[in-house]
Amino acid sequence: MEDFRRTFVRLCKENGIEAQESVLTHLHEARGVAGGTPGSGSGSSTRLDLSGHSLSTETCAALGRALSHDTALTEMVLSDCMLSEEGAKLLINSLCSNATIRFLDLKGNNLRSSGAEALGKLLVRNKTIRRLVLEWNALGMWDEAFSMLCEGLATNSSLAQLDLRNNQITHQGAAELGMVLKRNSTLQELDLRWNNIGLLGGRALQEGLQQNRSLIRLEMAGNNVPSDTIKALDQAISHNADRMNTMRESRTKTQVLSKEIQTLKDQKSRQYLNLMDTIDKQRDEMGRSSRNASLRLGQLHEALNDRKSAVNSLTAKLHMSEAALALSEQKVTALGDQLSRVQQERAELKERQARDMQKEVEDNTLREAKLHKDLQAVTERNHHLQHKVDELERRCKLQQEHVFELKQELTNTTAELKLRLTQTEERLDMEKRRSKQAMVDMDALRQKEVDHVTRHLEDVERKTQERVLKLEGQRITLEEELSKVKAAGVAERAQAEEELGKVRAQVRLEEQQNLSGLEEKLRVLRQGRDEAQHLCTQQKQTVADLHAKLGQQCVEMDALRRRMDELQQDLSGKDQEKVAEVSRVRVELQEQIGHLQAERTAQGGLKEKISALEREIKVLSSNHREAVLDKESEISSLLERLRMRDGEIQRMREDEAQRASALHSAILTYVQGSSMGHFSPKK
């Protein structure tokens, strides 16, 4: 709010005008209130309330330029500000480029033609205003300006609430609003109270509401609109509200189902990824175990090669010792004179041979111990591999259990989806039954109204016929009385003529005496004739009046018949709307069922993937078992070879010991024989 105040003051100074003191005071107070509010920024506010302030044209121009670039205000209240035509136009035109105002209140500013045109441009260009209050203005007095306002309202796609109370809107303006309702799809609340809409305007609004699907609240009090039109408008509004609620509920249910399906998809994808990671880890562990086994086999082959080389070296040493023994036998005869040296050499040879034999025995012992250690290591490695095999089998069992749990969960999910589908179908059936019941109730109500109108018409016709019969009876009675009077008149006339003849016969005798009496009788007869004629004219007038009343009753009967036809047409239109609504709901439910079937097919695909993964796991486990069996067979064959090698080494040791003992005994025999032959001459 502080930034807006500074901008307003700066624009006033640039244009050379003096800022209104009341506006500055209000902006300063608003800044203080916003600055003292806990949790608010320093001087920040989103509502500008200048209601009751008299704003000049220059102030409106400065405010408009400040509002055109403002990004903080969301509500603006300018009610009862006594705006001039030019000031209101400047303010409204400046709001066309504003992108933050959501609520605009222009109540009680006596806006006229130019204001209505500016408001039409504002509704065309502004895309953010959601609520507009135009109460207590004169927008409906100028038809062209109000049509421009309605044209802007028809193209607007953001306004949801519009207040047009006390704007002198006539039936022509209501017709324009009816055209707006046919084109606008975002307006939800419209207040038209206390205008001059009348019957024609109400029918125009009713015609517009037949094509509108977004208006859910319409206020029409104080417009001289008949109650049946008000009821029709309320019924259309209630239809729109029910439709909006139904759409909102279906949209909410669709969103919930989509979220649940997406959650299930995410869970299945995570489980699939975890399963694939576990399979990759098992593959890596099997690869590492196979590599370790191959390395261990290489080491065993190297140890066997080392043993072969040691055996070969021993064999070579044995051959060398045999060659040395043959050479010593050849040189025995030549060494007689060197016996002492030979004895020394023999002692040294004995010592050397003893050391060599001891060394060889120690080497053989060390090699045997090393071979035993290697055998123990191989045995431990075999146990370790067996333990890993057991661990892998246990993991395979765990994976199988996990797959079974996934199957169980998938089965539960499928059952839950089937249950929801069943519930949805039950709701659809309930809606169908409800709509059928509503149609039956409407048919019954319509039948009752038709029966009531028919009975009323029959009563009216019966009463009219009774009145006509009564009038006919009266007419016949009067005609009979008239005929009687005429007959009486004729009889009296004949009697009078007879008397006149008598009088004429006696005239001559009593002319002077009876002249006055005859004149009196003639006057009485004329008076009676005049009275009879007057009574006849009265009876004719009564018959004419009765005929006029009968014609009026016929006209009323025709009007009632036309009203009954209109009611039947309205009922047929309502039935068609109900059928269209039921078909639309059925189509939406069929679409939802199609979505659910698509999700079911997707779950079937997931089931197939899970079964394929289970088959792959079975294949991998069988391959793993075969590989383990192959490794065990290789290990057993290697152990058998080691046992055979140990037996060969043992036999070689025994042969070598036998050869060494034979060589030792031969050397002792030779030495003993040579010593005895050498000392025998001295004896």
Side-chain angles (χ1 to χ4, degrees):
M1 187 62 73
E2 178 62 22
D3 295 336
F4 182 79
R5 188 183 70 83
R6 292 175 181 173
T7 304
F8 174 69
V9 173
R10 178 177 57 80
L11 290 173
C12 290
K13 290 181 180 179
E14 289 177 357
N15 294 322
I17 60 176
E18 184 178 359
Q20 284 187 227
E21 188 65 28
S22 60
V23 176
L24 291 177
T25 304
H26 178 76
L27 292 175
H28 184 72
E29 292 175 355
R31 181 192 64 175
V33 171
T37 302
S40 63
S42 60
S44 64
S45 179
T46 59
R47 179 182 176 89
L48 177 61
D49 189 355
L50 296 176
S51 58
H53 295 276
S54 180
L55 302 180
S56 62
T57 304
E58 293 80 6
T59 303
C60 290
L63 283 173
R65 283 193 292 273
L67 286 170
S68 62
H69 301 290
D70 184 72
T71 59
L73 294 176
T74 59
E75 297 181 5
M76 186 172 181
V77 181
L78 297 175
S79 60
D80 301 324
C81 288
M82 300 175 65
L83 298 178
S84 62
E85 289 285 327
E86 187 65 25
K89 188 175 181 181
L90 290 172
L91 267 175
I92 295 171
N93 289 332
S94 65
L95 290 174
C96 293
S97 59
N98 186 280
T100 57
I101 296 293
R102 301 287 185 273
F103 170 64
L104 178 60
D105 188 354
L106 295 175
K107 173 184 174 183
N109 284 293
N110 199 20
L111 298 179
R112 296 179 180 272
S113 60
S114 59
E117 294 175 359
L119 286 171
K121 294 179 181 179
L122 174 65
L123 292 174
V124 171
R125 298 173 60 183
N126 189 281
K127 305 297 181 184
T128 59
I129 295 178
R130 297 283 297 168
R131 183 184 176 191
L132 181 60
V133 178
L134 299 175
E135 183 184 359
W136 283 106
N137 287 290
L139 299 175
M141 293 180 63
W142 289 268
D143 295 335
E144 294 181 358
F146 191 73
S147 65
M148 293 182 66
L149 172 63
C150 292
E151 183 65 27
L153 180 61
T155 59
N156 185 271
S157 61
S158 61
L159 190 66
Q161 300 177 4
L162 178 61
D163 190 349
L164 290 174
R165 289 178 290 177
N166 292 290
N167 270 277
Q168 302 181 18
I169 299 174
T170 61
H171 65 278
Q172 297 177 355
E176 294 289 339
L177 289 174
M179 298 298 293
V180 168
L181 293 178
K182 292 181 180 179
R183 298 169 56 187
N184 188 282
S185 60
T186 57
L187 189 63
Q188 297 180 357
E189 297 182 8
L190 179 60
D191 196 344
L192 296 175
R193 288 178 289 181
W194 311 112
N195 287 292
N196 299 319
I197 292 177
L199 174 62
L200 297 177
R203 290 182 178 177
L205 289 174
Q206 182 180 358
E207 183 180 358
L209 278 176
Q210 290 179 358
Q211 301 182 14
N212 185 274
R213 296 293 181 270
S214 62
L215 194 67
I216 60 175
R217 182 172 176 266
L218 177 63
E219 298 291 341
M220 291 290 294
N223 281 287
N224 296 323
V225 179
S227 60
D228 55 348
T229 306
I230 293 291
K231 290 180 180 178
L233 292 173
D234 293 338
Q235 189 173 5
I237 292 297
S238 64
H239 281 315
N240 287 340
D242 294 339
R243 189 181 297 108
M244 292 289 289
N245 293 327
T246 305
M247 292 176 64
R248 193 179 298 110
E249 290 177 358
S250 62
R251 193 179 297 113
T252 304
K253 292 178 181 178
T254 305
Q255 291 177 357
V256 171
L257 288 174
S258 300
K259 288 181 180 179
E260 291 180 356
I261 292 170
Q262 188 64 33
T263 304
L264 289 174
K265 285 182 178 180
D266 294 338
Q267 291 178 358
K268 297 302 179 183
S269 61
R270 286 196 296 271
Q271 291 173 0
Y272 175 72
L273 292 175
N274 293 331
L275 184 60
M276 292 302 294
D277 292 337
T278 306
I279 291 171
D280 292 335
K281 289 178 181 178
Q282 289 180 358
R283 286 178 180 174
D284 294 337
E285 290 180 359
M286 290 175 64
R288 285 196 297 271
S289 62
S290 62
R291 287 194 296 272
N292 293 329
S294 61
L295 291 173
R296 188 59 185 166
L297 287 173
Q299 292 176 359
L300 290 174
H301 282 299
E302 290 178 358
L304 288 174
N305 292 328
D306 292 337
R307 288 184 181 181
K308 286 180 181 179
S309 62
V311 170
N312 291 329
S313 63
L314 289 173
T315 307
K317 285 182 181 180
L318 183 58
H319 288 304
M320 287 173 65
S321 62
E322 288 178 354
L325 182 58
L327 184 61
S328 63
E329 287 178 353
Q330 290 176 3
K331 292 180 179 181
V332 166
T333 57
L335 294 174
D337 53 345
Q338 297 177 357
L339 183 59
S340 58
R341 193 176 59 185
V342 170
Q343 289 177 354
Q344 292 176 359
E345 289 177 0
R346 185 181 63 184
E348 291 174 359
L349 183 61
K350 284 181 179 180
E351 291 175 358
R352 191 181 298 113
Q353 285 181 354
R355 286 195 299 271
D356 292 335
M357 288 295 293
Q358 187 177 1
K359 188 175 181 181
E360 287 176 358
V361 170
E362 290 176 356
D363 292 336
N364 291 328
T365 305
L366 291 173
R367 287 172 184 170
E368 187 176 1
K370 187 176 181 181
L371 288 173
H372 280 295
K373 288 181 181 180
D374 294 336
L375 182 60
Q376 290 177 359
V378 170
T379 306
E380 290 176 357
R381 183 62 181 171
N382 188 13
H383 288 302
H384 184 64
L385 290 174
Q386 186 66 33
H387 180 68
K388 283 188 175 180
V389 169
D390 296 335
E391 183 67 23
L392 289 173
E393 288 180 353
R394 185 177 62 80
R395 288 183 181 178
C396 287
K397 289 181 180 179
L398 289 175
Q399 290 295 329
Q400 290 177 357
E401 292 176 356
H402 186 60
V403 169
F404 179 74
E405 290 177 356
L406 289 175
K407 286 183 179 179
Q408 189 67 26
E409 185 177 357
L410 183 60
T411 305
N412 294 332
T413 306
T414 307
E416 186 177 356
L417 289 175
K418 288 182 179 178
L419 180 59
R420 290 181 181 175
L421 180 60
T422 306
Q423 292 177 358
T424 306
E425 292 176 352
E426 291 177 356
R427 290 178 182 175
L428 177 60
D429 295 333
M430 290 176 64
E431 290 293 331
K432 288 181 179 178
R433 290 194 296 271
R434 190 180 300 168
S435 62
K436 288 181 180 179
Q437 187 65 31
M439 291 176 66
V440 170
D441 294 337
M442 288 179 66
D443 291 334
L445 182 61
R446 183 183 64 184
Q447 189 64 34
K448 288 180 181 179
E449 290 180 356
V450 170
D451 295 336
H452 179 70
V453 172
T454 305
R455 287 194 299 270
H456 182 67
L457 289 175
E458 290 176 354
D459 294 334
V460 171
E461 287 179 355
R462 188 175 64 254
K463 291 178 180 178
T464 305
Q465 290 177 358
E466 290 176 357
R467 291 181 67 181
V468 168
L469 292 174
K470 289 179 180 179
L471 291 174
E472 287 289 334
Q474 291 179 2
R475 184 178 64 81
I476 292 170
T477 304
L478 291 174
E479 286 178 354
E480 290 176 355
E481 290 178 357
L482 180 62
S483 62
K484 288 179 180 180
V485 169
K486 286 181 178 180
V490 170
E492 288 177 358
R493 185 175 180 180
Q495 187 177 359
E497 287 178 353
E498 289 176 358
E499 290 177 358
L500 183 61
K502 290 178 181 181
V503 168
R504 285 178 180 176
Q506 294 176 4
V507 161
R508 295 172 183 175
L509 297 175
E510 300 176 354
E511 183 176 2
Q512 294 296 326
Q513 297 176 0
N514 296 328
L515 183 62
S516 60
L518 290 174
E519 288 177 354
E520 183 67 22
K521 287 183 179 179
L522 183 62
R523 185 180 62 79
V524 169
L525 290 173
R526 287 178 179 175
Q527 186 177 3
R529 187 186 63 184
D530 294 334
E531 288 177 356
Q533 289 179 355
H534 180 67
L535 182 61
C536 184
T537 54
Q538 286 182 354
Q539 293 294 329
K540 288 181 180 179
Q541 184 67 30
T542 304
V543 171
D545 293 335
L546 290 175
H547 281 294
K549 290 182 180 179
L550 181 61
Q552 187 176 2
Q553 292 292 331
C554 293
V555 170
E556 290 179 357
M557 287 175 64
D558 294 333
L560 289 173
R561 287 194 184 95
R562 288 194 297 273
R563 178 60 180 167
M564 187 170 65
D565 294 334
E566 289 177 357
L567 289 174
Q568 289 179 354
Q569 290 178 359
D570 291 337
L571 287 173
S572 63
K574 291 177 182 178
D575 291 337
Q576 291 176 359
E577 289 180 358
K578 191 69 176 179
V579 170
E581 185 69 22
V582 170
S583 63
R584 187 183 64 78
V585 172
R586 187 182 291 112
V587 168
E588 290 178 354
L589 290 173
Q590 288 178 357
E591 290 178 355
Q592 291 181 1
I593 291 169
H595 290 307
L596 291 174
Q597 289 178 355
E599 293 298 330
R600 184 183 294 173
T601 55
Q603 288 183 359
L606 290 174
K607 287 181 180 179
E608 292 177 357
K609 289 181 181 180
I610 290 171
S611 62
L613 288 174
E614 289 177 354
R615 289 193 296 272
E616 289 180 1
I617 290 170
K618 289 180 180 178
V619 171
L620 289 173
S621 61
S622 62
N623 293 332
H624 178 68
R625 289 193 185 93
E626 290 176 358
V628 169
L629 292 173
D630 293 335
K631 294 296 181 182
E632 288 178 353
S633 62
E634 288 179 2
I635 291 169
S636 61
S637 63
L638 289 172
L639 291 173
E640 185 64 30
R641 289 180 183 177
L642 286 173
R643 285 194 294 272
M644 292 172 65
R645 292 292 182 184
D646 291 333
E648 290 178 359
I649 291 168
Q650 189 66 31
R651 286 194 299 273
M652 289 172 66
R653 285 178 181 173
E654 291 175 356
D655 294 337
E656 186 179 358
Q658 289 176 2
R659 289 178 184 178
S661 62
L663 179 61
H664 184 65
S665 61
I667 290 171
L668 289 175
T669 305
Y670 175 75
V671 171
Q672 289 176 1
S674 62
S675 61
M676 289 175 66
H678 181 71
F679 290 107
S680 61
K682 291 184 180 180
K683 292 180 179 179

